[in-house]
Amino acid sequence: MKKTGFEKSFNFKQILITLAAGAAVLLPVRIYQLFAIIDTGSTGFYKKINFSVYFMYVAVVVFTALLIVFSRLCDDTRASRPAMCKNKLLGAAAVVMAVGTAYDSADSMLSFSASCSDFSSNLDVSFMRYFFSNGMFASLFESIFGIIACVYFIVFALSYFNDKADFTSYKVLALAPLFWAMCKMITRFMTKISFINVSELMLEMLELALVMLFFMSFAKISSDVADKGEFKKLVSYVMPASMLAAVIGVSRLVITLCGKRDRLPSELGFSLTDPAFAFFAIVYIRHQMKHGRPESEDNAPSEDETAAKADKIN
């Protein structure tokens, strides 16, 4: 199909500029809200509604939509295959992501332990009912898959540090980040606070939805089993997810360092996971764009398919 001039006007650099512009607009607004119009007492509720609230929601929708549309219309893309070559920066980014998932896993296990302690003081309900109704199961599996995802990112890092590991061989393990993100999403759904009144939760839910979609495409590409066009989908998911992760992570860090932790909901404090994901995702996309094969090679057989055909002939 012949591309129009409009489609050809977008490239990866312009998408990155749009992402940076979105973060630059949203971050100061979010920090202002946390300091000025969010209630104290770890509820996360707005004390008052002013222009910044409407501006924040509109800006999030606009920049998210722009990043998705620009990514889908971008003609500067690559084949849906892993770019296998040494890259110490990507290896370091994978280590940072491994630390982020390990941190989240430990935090989830602490939440699970706290829920177990609460149950021991409330024996009026059965353990199974409490386990599934209080989000304990989600926290437990979030912790388990977080540890497995940490192992996968370490293997991923070693593959780019010294070529002594090959993450494409760990197809089942590649699903761990996706399951971790899914369990994290379920944990947030089980959070007993208002979805409408707590903007912090709404922003994180949108981020997690995009992170899940990214890790779904990431697992396919990393395992070298992706269909044609999967990389373009991955870019359209990860760009807005990275923008939101950066805004959420940095704003929570600033408010925490300034001694205003009570402006955040008690269940939604600062986590290393958000900035770690933003850093890893951007470095990963940059590596794929720089070293990946052209999109025209999407129809070429993968190494596994080539080896299988050779074995069949022999």
Side-chain angles (χ1 to χ4, degrees):
M1 185 177 70
K2 185 178 179 180
K3 293 185 178 181
T4 65
F6 178 74
E7 290 175 323
K8 292 181 180 179
S9 63
F10 300 108
N11 56 45
F12 182 63
K13 183 178 180 181
Q14 291 170 323
I15 297 173
L16 279 179
I17 292 173
T18 305
L19 187 156
V25 169
L26 294 172
L27 184 57
V29 176
R30 188 57 191 159
I31 292 175
Y32 158 75
Q33 289 180 341
L34 290 173
F35 275 103
I37 64 172
I38 299 295
D39 193 13
T40 59
S42 298
T43 64
F45 281 41
Y46 286 117
K47 291 187 296 185
K48 60 180 179 180
I49 303 295
N50 61 17
F51 175 75
S52 72
V53 177
Y54 303 107
F55 178 83
M56 184 71 180
Y57 288 138
V58 171
V60 167
V61 172
V62 168
F63 279 108
T64 298
L66 285 176
L67 287 169
I68 292 174
V69 171
F70 289 0
S71 299
R72 289 302 179 100
L73 296 180
C74 177
D75 61 354
D76 180 20
T77 188
R78 296 292 179 268
S80 303
R81 304 286 174 79
M84 301 299 294
C85 60
K86 286 185 179 182
N87 187 329
K88 292 184 178 180
L89 179 59
L90 180 55
V95 171
V96 171
M97 190 65 208
V99 172
T101 53
Y103 178 93
D104 182 80
S105 180
D107 188 57
S108 299
M109 185 55 67
L110 288 175
S111 298
F112 176 76
S113 300
S115 296
C116 289
S117 298
D118 291 341
F119 171 76
S120 63
S121 61
N122 182 18
L123 300 178
D124 295 334
V125 295
S126 66
F127 177 77
M128 292 303 296
R129 181 179 178 182
Y130 192 84
F131 182 76
F132 285 101
S133 65
N134 206 42
M136 290 175 64
F137 77 97
S139 295
L140 176 61
F141 285 105
E142 180 183 345
S143 179
I144 293 172
F145 284 118
I147 290 296
I148 300 174
C150 176
V151 173
Y152 178 75
F153 284 119
I154 291 174
V155 173
F156 190 93
L158 292 174
S159 300
Y160 284 104
F161 275 136
N162 51 28
D163 295 335
K164 291 184 178 180
D166 181 9
F167 64 86
T168 60
S169 302
Y170 296 85
K171 292 178 171 57
V172 176
L173 204 60
L175 295 171
L178 171 61
F179 290 142
W180 164 73
M182 290 173 62
C183 292
K184 194 173 181 65
M185 185 87 163
I186 294 172
T187 301
R188 292 295 176 255
F189 268 121
M190 302 294 288
T191 302
K192 296 180 179 180
I193 55 179
S194 172
F195 283 75
I196 298 176
N197 294 325
V198 181
S199 55
E200 198 69 29
L201 182 59
M202 293 184 68
L203 290 174
E204 186 165 336
M205 293 292 284
L206 176 58
E207 176 207 351
L208 287 173
L210 293 166
V211 168
M212 284 173 52
L213 291 171
F214 163 73
F215 278 131
M216 188 180 298
S217 295
F218 176 77
K220 294 178 182 179
I221 294 173
S222 297
S223 301
D224 206 7
V225 296
D227 295 327
K228 181 179 179 180
E230 194 66 42
F231 181 73
K232 184 170 285 190
K233 293 180 183 178
L234 180 147
V235 175
S236 69
Y237 303 143
V238 77
M239 288 300 167
S242 299
M243 177 188 71
L244 292 170
V247 171
I248 292 170
V250 175
S251 62
R252 289 181 182 178
L253 177 61
V254 170
I255 202 74
T256 302
L257 292 177
C258 291
K260 302 290 184 180
R261 171 62 180 82
D262 61 343
R263 304 298 176 95
L264 296 172
S266 55
E267 300 89 346
L268 301 175
F270 170 73
S271 172
L272 288 174
T273 309
D274 296 310
F277 172 80
F279 177 59
F280 169 75
I282 296 300
V283 174
Y284 170 74
I285 293 296
R286 182 178 177 275
H287 170 81
Q288 288 287 123
M289 295 298 294
K290 184 176 181 180
H291 301 287
R293 287 177 285 181
E295 188 180 21
S296 58
E297 293 189 22
D298 248 340
N299 292 323
S302 66
E303 293 180 2
D304 290 345
E305 292 171 338
T306 303
K309 288 181 180 178
D311 291 340
K312 188 175 182 181
I313 292 173
N314 295 332

